[in-house]
Amino acid sequence: MTTLQVKYNNDKSRDYTKMDLPSGETMGMPSHDHAMYGLPSATGLIPSPLSMAGTTAFAAATAATNPHFAGFPGLAGIPGIPAQTVPGLLPSFPHHHHHHHNPVLGGMRFPNMHSANSGSSVLLVSNLNPDRVTPDALFTLFGVYGDVHRVKILYEKRDSALIQLADSNQSHLAMSHLNSLKLYDKPMRVALSKHQQVSLPKEGQQDAGLTKDFTNSPLHRFKKPGSKNYQNIYPPNQVLHLSNIPASVTEDELKTAFNQHGTVCGFKFFPKDRKMALIQLNNLEESVEALVAMHNYPLGDNQHLRVSFSKANI
């Protein structure tokens, strides 16, 4: 046989060159029978494409993406019709979610099964204090958990910012530690962004200094492979770890500097290494502001203070 003869346009056969063929007898095929199509029954969890077929939204989306399917919204779920024929509607389903390959499920992805942004190194930070936040402040705070490459406070929405870190592991780490943390009196909301990178403003574009490139900053904590900083990553704490303290700097000088950003209620040098100390602020919000203000603070002898969150208590 050199040509395929199709007599009916229905759920079992269809001739796309002859849209006026009769529907014929559908043999009473149940349109919602998961078992018939090899679809797992996950009532209330994953809507099958077939159960969605009758909805106006599904029909509209199908017709919009491929005009040939206008009026035939159920096609995407029929065996033998590859899901790819509805571009953008049912992209590939990640096979690792299943123990066996299902030929019907292959080529489908259901909404909300996993985040399309899960590999993003860019964070969207919202609910910032627009009167106080700066790219440098965000660079310092998020830099505790990764090497921040770019920061963009949104020009039209100054309480939101995009922050690009070196990789997605660092963005996940920063998000897990900093989401809901208060900065400048407001709890930040931190989420993965759909953007894969933060773009710099084009020449002549209004920006007001809200975008900053830190790619080559000497202040990155994790640039060196195997850096000790990888072993000293802790959640935000009202006790801060200070390092790189010159021998000439006294406890009172450090307390005075930190008292500009909160109330110091504890301090001690490390007994075996006076280049390091612990300092305790009155509460977590004060310690966050003190870290942002005092990290890289000049202490004389061309040395700059290093500040991070400590796991210790004083």
Side-chain angles (χ1 to χ4, degrees), residues 125-139 141-142 151-154 157-161 163 183-186 188 208-210 292:
V125 185
S126 55
N127 202 42
L128 295 165
N129 184 333
D131 298 323
R132 296 190 61 191
V133 73
T134 63
D136 288 281
L138 294 172
F139 167 77
L141 181 55
F142 282 77
V151 176
K152 179 191 285 286
I153 296 173
L154 304 186
K157 191 169 168 50
R158 305 280 176 105
D159 67 346
S160 299
I163 300 176
L183 173 66
Y184 303 137
D185 306 317
K186 298 191 74 176
M188 296 182 293
L210 297 174
V292 167

Side-chain angles (χ1 to χ4, degrees), residues 241-258 261 267 269 274-277 279 293-307:
H241 178 275
L242 314 181
S243 60
N244 210 37
I245 303 169
S248 59
V249 173
T250 66
E251 176 178 331
D252 284 343
E253 286 175 308
L254 288 168
K255 282 182 176 177
T256 301
F258 274 84
H261 310 286
F267 182 95
F269 280 112
R274 207 187 161 285
K275 290 180 182 175
M276 294 193 289
I279 192 165
M294 295 299 295
H295 182 63
N296 201 42
Y297 183 79
L299 287 175
D301 299 338
N302 203 27
Q303 288 183 269
H304 292 75
L305 188 65
R306 298 283 174 260
V307 186

Side-chain angles (χ1 to χ4, degrees), residues 62-275:
T62 311
T65 52
N66 194 321
H68 293 303
F69 290 170
F72 302 101
L75 281 174
I78 297 170
I81 305 294
Q84 299 91 295
T85 53
V86 193
L89 193 58
L90 295 170
S92 64
F93 193 92
H95 294 153
H96 58 264
H97 288 299
H98 300 280
H99 297 298
H100 62 278
H101 177 67
N102 184 310
V104 177
L105 275 178
M108 295 184 183
R109 186 203 293 158
F110 295 96
N112 303 324
M113 285 299 284
H114 73 111
S115 170
N117 306 331
S118 58
S120 177
S121 61
V122 179
L123 296 172
L124 172 62
V125 185
S126 55
N127 202 42
L128 295 165
N129 184 333
D131 298 323
R132 296 190 61 191
V133 73
T134 63
D136 288 281
L138 294 172
F139 167 77
T140 301
L141 181 55
F142 282 77
V144 172
Y145 299 105
D147 290 340
V148 174
H149 285 191
R150 288 178 180 177
V151 176
K152 179 191 285 286
I153 296 173
L154 304 186
Y155 187 79
E156 300 290 345
K157 191 169 168 50
R158 305 280 176 105
D159 67 346
S160 299
L162 292 170
I163 300 176
Q164 181 181 338
L165 289 99
D167 60 48
S168 59
N169 290 331
Q170 293 182 0
S171 65
H172 278 79
L173 190 65
M175 179 173 66
S176 68
H177 284 303
L178 297 177
N179 184 40
S180 301
L181 185 73
K182 266 193 178 183
L183 173 66
Y184 303 137
D185 306 317
K186 298 191 74 176
M188 296 182 293
R189 288 195 291 269
V190 185
L192 293 172
S193 169
K194 64 183 180 184
H195 296 280
Q196 292 303 308
Q197 64 177 34
V198 173
S199 57
L200 295 174
K202 296 182 178 70
E203 197 173 337
Q205 187 178 346
Q206 276 191 316
D207 181 67
L210 297 174
T211 304
K212 203 159 178 181
D213 190 344
F214 297 97
T215 306
N216 299 313
S217 170
L219 297 178
H220 286 157
R221 298 177 190 247
F222 307 101
K223 224 172 3 185
K224 294 176 186 167
S227 163
K228 279 190 302 185
N229 291 332
Y230 282 106
Q231 279 80 55
N232 294 303
I233 298 173
Y234 301 111
N237 186 8
Q238 67 191 84
V239 178
L240 299 171
H241 178 275
L242 314 181
S243 60
N244 210 37
I245 303 169
S248 59
V249 173
T250 66
E251 176 178 331
D252 284 343
E253 286 175 308
L254 288 168
K255 282 182 176 177
T256 301
F258 274 84
N259 272 324
Q260 306 299 311
H261 310 286
T263 304
V264 174
C265 51
F267 182 95
K268 70 175 182 185
F269 280 112
F270 277 56
K272 294 180 180 176
D273 188 352
R274 207 187 161 285
K275 290 180 182 175

Side-chain angles (χ1 to χ4, degrees), residues 17 28 54-55 80 117 120 127 143 201 262 277-278 291:
T17 64
T55 67
N117 306 331
S120 177
N127 202 42
L278 296 176
L291 181 146

